[in-house]
Structure formats: C-alpha cells, structure tokens
Amino acid sequence: MKKRAKLSIIFTLVIAIPLILIAATHLMEDSMVGTLDSAQTFFEANNTNFKMESVVYEGDNIDYFVSGNMTAPSSLVLFVHGAPGSWEAFKSYLVDPVLRKESMLISLSRPGYGFNSSGKPIVSISQQADVVLSILQKYTIDKIILVGHSFGGPIAAKLAADHPDLIDGLLMIAPLIDPYNEPIKWYAHLCNIKWIDALLPSFIQVATAEKMAHPQELQLIEDDWQKIITPTIHYHGGTDALAPMEANIAFSKKHINPEFLFQFTDDEAGHLLVWDNEDQVKAFIMKLLNQNRSE
C-alpha cells in the first residue's frame, strides 16, 4: 500500500499537475491572444474609432492598436503590458473618453505575443525598448507618456533613460525592477521543463523565457536608471506577491534621481493595479499629461 501511495504521489507530481497546467493554458489562449474581430467588436461596442498598425522587428510583426485623437493630438500615451499579456491589458484605457479626448493612445502586443506574432521571445529589455521606440518614431507629437505594468515597467523605463529628450513622463505600475529580489514561482520552473514547455501555447513559452532571464536582464540595465530625467511615477501595491513592493520601491528610490521620482503605494492592493485600481491609474496618467518637466 505504501508503494502504491508513493507511485500515486509521483504520478500526480510528474504527470497529472503538468497536464492540468498545459490544458489550462491552452484554454486561456484565445482570451490572451485575441483576434482582430474581437478587437473590432470591443471598440465598436464602446463607440471608439481605432486603427491596428504594426512594425516589423527582426522579422516579427509587432501589432499595436491606436485610438483617441488620431488627427491632431497634443500628446501620446503608450502602454506596455506585462508577461504574459497583449495590447488587451490596456484596452479599457483606449476607450476612456477623458484620455482619448486630446491624446493619441497606443497599446502594443510586445514581441512574441499577439495574434500575428511568431511566438519568438525577445528577453532583452534593451531590445524590447527599441521595439517601442520604433513605434514612437512613426509619430511627431510634442508630449509622450509611457505606461508600463509589471515586466512592462523596466522596458518603459529603459526607453525613458535612453531617450530623455523624447519621453515626457513615465508611469510604472507594479514594476519588476529589482534584479536581486524577483520571486520565481513554482509554476514558472514547471513551465521551464523542456517537455512541458514544448506542449504549452506560445504566449506561455514567451512569458517563461522572459521570466527566467529577467533578473539577469535587469542587472544589465542597472546603471541606466540614473539617466532618467523625466517625471516618473512608481505605483505599487502592498500585497503584491509577484513584484514585492518593499524591494521594488526601495530599488527605484535608490536608483532614480529623487528630483524626478514620485512614489505612491496602496497597502491593500496586489499586482493587478491596472485593472483593480483603474481610476487611480488614469488619474496618474492625467497628472503626467498635465505636468511640465520643470514641475
């Protein structure tokens, strides 16, 4: 009986749990990746004009959706999602009547994500920032605000550091920026096992590759944070288990010039501030839109 019980435990750990994980991620695939038809339905239901555009980076299509003032915008707000994710992480912001009144709004599906993607991961934060830059270079707009959630936070920050004359405001929401205090959950290690990874949908494969490389990638850009000279808001939740607040708040406080850094925390909030505290996030975006560099 003891032997049979041990075999049952081994089967559960080695076979059953991975198979359940694989099945669950495939069930999530349609909602995570989305389609152009579902995007069109969403924008039409919210009476919002939109365009889908793309850039090509290393042979991969990088899709992004544009809404808001697309004729004579006074500003541009570009949203960078986490891992996994897609442009849809910020879709509710793209139909917000206040945000789209004067600003052009852009949300992209980062390399490896999205319904036109090849699923090829790019783990380099510097390269991810270059992708965002290639989108911004298509437009001539005086004020540009970057908004990054989770993994999108350091990507937006890297771009702000490298191009201080281009970026006028930076909002990092629950960012994973401390390379020495990034928790890697058991399911990430499980997804990183070769035979399991091979059976997972591409958006999970991309997220796993990014997650496992992220601490080292953050170390590579550790000296760049001091180059940020644009108003920067770091917004974090106290119960965040994916990006621990204390370590990441301390990191930005240590590495970003205090003249430009504004930190806000919510002790009761977790990692999903983008959706759970949407009104507060929108208020921070408006704060940056209305703020001059000298303030």
Side-chain angles (χ1 to χ4, degrees), residues 157-234:
K158 173 62 173 169
L159 182 55
D162 288 346
H163 299 275
D165 295 333
L166 179 66
I167 306 304
D168 299 282
L170 170 65
L171 170 57
M172 299 189 297
I173 309 161
L176 280 154
I177 57 178
D178 182 355
Y180 309 105
N181 288 282
E182 180 168 342
I184 299 180
K185 302 296 186 181
W186 64 268
Y187 47 79
H189 290 288
L190 193 61
C191 291
N192 198 44
I193 297 172
K194 286 187 178 181
W195 75 267
I196 297 176
D197 179 72
L199 296 175
L200 291 168
S202 62
F203 77 92
I204 294 294
Q205 294 174 342
V206 173
T208 300
E210 289 182 340
K211 183 66 176 177
M212 303 311 289
H214 203 239
Q216 182 178 356
E217 287 299 318
L218 287 173
Q219 290 180 42
L220 293 176
I221 67 167
E222 191 169 357
D223 293 335
D224 295 328
W225 296 89
Q226 61 188 339
K227 297 189 296 183
I228 295 175
I229 57 171
T230 188
T232 299
I233 294 175
H234 179 167

Side-chain angles (χ1 to χ4, degrees), residues 19-33 201 203:
L19 289 179
I20 291 170
L21 176 66
I22 291 166
T25 56
H26 279 283
L27 289 173
M28 294 168 53
E29 187 167 13
D30 286 346
S31 61
M32 288 295 299
V33 174
F203 77 92

Side-chain angles (χ1 to χ4, degrees), residues 252-270:
S252 65
K253 186 175 183 178
K254 178 180 178 180
H255 290 81
I256 300 175
N257 188 324
E259 179 182 352
F260 304 105
L261 179 63
F262 306 88
Q263 294 181 323
F264 298 90
T265 59
D266 184 335
D267 290 341
E268 303 301 318

